[in-house]
Amino acid sequence: LLKAIKGDKGRDALMATLGLSDRKSFSERYLRPALAQGLLEMTVPDKPRSRMQQYRLTEAGIRLRDL
């Protein structure tokens, strides 16, 4: 997931990049854990269910990706 993010990307774009199609599974297995660990952040944190929501790497995510 970390290698798939370059800039800001929406959930559907991330899923397509990874070749995944099940939104629930993607959220439970990839998105939520990465957010909880501080590796990703939302671009619209006040509205987590916004249709405009995108995700980007945090500094910690960038460091881990570049190892």
mmCIF file of all heavy atoms in Angstrom, residues 8 17 19 21 25 30 33 43 55 61:
data_model
loop_
_atom_site.group_PDB
_atom_site.id
_atom_site.type_symbol
_atom_site.label_atom_id
_atom_site.label_comp_id
_atom_site.label_asym_id
_atom_site.label_seq_id
_atom_site.Cartn_x
_atom_site.Cartn_y
_atom_site.Cartn_z
ATOM 1 N N ASP A 8 -1.582 12.504 -3.368
ATOM 2 C CA ASP A 8 -2.881 12.232 -2.756
ATOM 3 C C ASP A 8 -3.668 11.296 -3.674
ATOM 4 O O ASP A 8 -3.723 11.512 -4.881
ATOM 5 C CB ASP A 8 -3.689 13.523 -2.580
ATOM 6 C CG ASP A 8 -2.999 14.516 -1.652
ATOM 7 O OD1 ASP A 8 -2.000 14.149 -1.013
ATOM 8 O OD2 ASP A 8 -3.476 15.657 -1.568
ATOM 9 N N THR A 17 -4.910 0.426 -8.054
ATOM 10 C CA THR A 17 -3.461 0.266 -8.143
ATOM 11 C C THR A 17 -3.023 -1.079 -7.573
ATOM 12 O O THR A 17 -2.125 -1.725 -8.103
ATOM 13 C CB THR A 17 -2.746 1.406 -7.390
ATOM 14 O OG1 THR A 17 -3.134 2.646 -7.974
ATOM 15 C CG2 THR A 17 -1.242 1.265 -7.456
ATOM 16 N N GLY A 19 -4.981 -3.716 -7.384
ATOM 17 C CA GLY A 19 -5.723 -4.799 -8.021
ATOM 18 C C GLY A 19 -6.776 -5.411 -7.111
ATOM 19 O O GLY A 19 -7.083 -6.598 -7.234
ATOM 20 N N SER A 21 -10.773 -5.284 -5.296
ATOM 21 C CA SER A 21 -12.104 -4.818 -5.662
ATOM 22 C C SER A 21 -13.083 -4.762 -4.490
ATOM 23 O O SER A 21 -14.120 -4.130 -4.600
ATOM 24 C CB SER A 21 -12.684 -5.706 -6.759
ATOM 25 O OG SER A 21 -12.772 -7.043 -6.304
ATOM 26 N N SER A 25 -13.053 -5.251 2.603
ATOM 27 C CA SER A 25 -11.799 -5.949 2.863
ATOM 28 C C SER A 25 -10.616 -4.988 2.780
ATOM 29 O O SER A 25 -9.712 -5.018 3.623
ATOM 30 C CB SER A 25 -11.614 -7.085 1.857
ATOM 31 O OG SER A 25 -10.382 -7.716 2.052
ATOM 32 N N TYR A 30 -6.122 -2.964 4.980
ATOM 33 C CA TYR A 30 -5.069 -2.039 4.563
ATOM 34 C C TYR A 30 -5.254 -0.621 5.094
ATOM 35 O O TYR A 30 -4.361 -0.080 5.740
ATOM 36 C CB TYR A 30 -4.989 -1.981 3.023
ATOM 37 C CG TYR A 30 -4.641 -3.284 2.378
ATOM 38 C CD1 TYR A 30 -5.639 -4.149 1.932
ATOM 39 C CD2 TYR A 30 -3.318 -3.673 2.200
ATOM 40 C CE1 TYR A 30 -5.329 -5.360 1.336
ATOM 41 C CE2 TYR A 30 -2.997 -4.876 1.600
ATOM 42 C CZ TYR A 30 -4.004 -5.716 1.181
ATOM 43 O OH TYR A 30 -3.688 -6.906 0.593
ATOM 44 N N PRO A 33 -5.700 -0.046 9.268
ATOM 45 C CA PRO A 33 -4.432 -0.263 9.991
ATOM 46 C C PRO A 33 -3.368 0.795 9.670
ATOM 47 O O PRO A 33 -2.657 1.251 10.564
ATOM 48 C CB PRO A 33 -3.984 -1.649 9.526
ATOM 49 C CG PRO A 33 -5.246 -2.341 9.147
ATOM 50 C CD PRO A 33 -6.109 -1.259 8.551
ATOM 51 N N THR A 43 -6.884 13.627 3.753
ATOM 52 C CA THR A 43 -6.759 15.007 3.304
ATOM 53 C C THR A 43 -7.906 15.865 3.825
ATOM 54 O O THR A 43 -7.783 17.085 3.885
ATOM 55 C CB THR A 43 -6.716 15.096 1.768
ATOM 56 O OG1 THR A 43 -7.904 14.508 1.238
ATOM 57 C CG2 THR A 43 -5.485 14.398 1.219
ATOM 58 N N TYR A 55 -6.102 10.169 0.523
ATOM 59 C CA TYR A 55 -5.127 9.757 1.525
ATOM 60 C C TYR A 55 -3.736 10.069 1.015
ATOM 61 O O TYR A 55 -3.467 10.036 -0.181
ATOM 62 C CB TYR A 55 -5.273 8.252 1.804
ATOM 63 C CG TYR A 55 -6.666 7.902 2.265
ATOM 64 C CD1 TYR A 55 -7.648 7.541 1.351
ATOM 65 C CD2 TYR A 55 -7.009 7.990 3.597
ATOM 66 C CE1 TYR A 55 -8.938 7.257 1.756
ATOM 67 C CE2 TYR A 55 -8.302 7.703 4.020
ATOM 68 C CZ TYR A 55 -9.252 7.340 3.093
ATOM 69 O OH TYR A 55 -10.536 7.070 3.503
ATOM 70 N N GLY A 61 5.216 7.195 7.198
ATOM 71 C CA GLY A 61 4.930 6.341 6.054
ATOM 72 C C GLY A 61 5.986 6.462 4.972
ATOM 73 O O GLY A 61 6.388 5.462 4.359
#
